[in-house]
Amino acid sequence: AGNALRELTAIASPTRAAPLPGSVQGLAALLDQKLRPLCADVTYVLERAGEPDGPLQPASALAVLRICQELVRNAVTHGAARNVTVTLGLSGGTLTVAVRDDGRGLSSERFVTATGGLDNARRWSEEQGGAVQYVALPGGTELRVTLPA
């Protein structure tokens, strides 16, 4: 019950109470605030890559936030991950976020046919002109999202 309450609070807590971040640095801070509660029982790391900062459209910030919440929740809940790393990067106007875990893994077939959270992540990414890419890892999964900043 405690895990379910933490998940619900992290996902449902208002993001609109404060304006969405207009920079990648601001998005990193918001991601850390929203993802950390989902990872209460696992090791969680947020990394930065690429350019140190840059402007970010609010719609892209919201899409990345929602996508990351789904992917991290899936890694912990369905993948039984013990370690989750989220890497946020900016390069030449393209925002990239990778969610890597050491869980059970996800097959490429399951990725393509997935419904629910993974399907939502793909839809939110596509709505912003982006895509979600599956990367099989030995002992885990990485999902990479790219979209215009």
Side-chain angles (χ1 to χ4, degrees), residues 4-19:
L5 182 58
R6 260 196 314 272
E7 285 182 29
L8 183 58
T9 300
I11 290 173
S13 62
T15 56
R16 302 271 180 179

Side-chain angles (χ1 to χ4, degrees), residues 36 93 96 135:
R36 195 165 294 284
T96 303
V135 180

Side-chain angles (χ1 to χ4, degrees), residues 14-116:
T15 56
R16 302 271 180 179
L20 288 165
S23 70
V24 176
Q25 186 173 341
L27 177 59
L30 180 61
L31 284 175
D32 197 49
Q33 173 192 356
K34 297 294 184 177
L35 299 179
R36 195 165 294 284
L38 294 173
C39 297
D41 300 325
V42 303
T43 301
Y44 158 78
V45 176
L46 176 66
E47 299 176 339
R48 289 287 312 277
E51 299 167 19
D53 201 8
L56 182 63
Q57 295 297 315
S60 294
L62 183 59
V64 167
L65 172 63
R66 294 299 184 221
I67 290 166
C68 286
Q69 286 175 314
E70 283 294 342
L71 299 183
V72 168
R73 187 190 62 75
N74 282 350
V76 173
T77 304
H78 301 299
R82 299 304 308 149
N83 297 283
V84 175
T85 302
V86 176
T87 305
L88 178 65
L90 176 68
S91 180
T94 299
L95 189 62
T96 303
V97 63
V99 177
R100 187 173 58 251
D101 70 75
D102 65 350
R104 286 195 262 290
L106 176 71
S107 70
S108 59
E109 295 81 20
R110 179 70 181 125
F111 173 73
V112 170
T113 62
T115 59

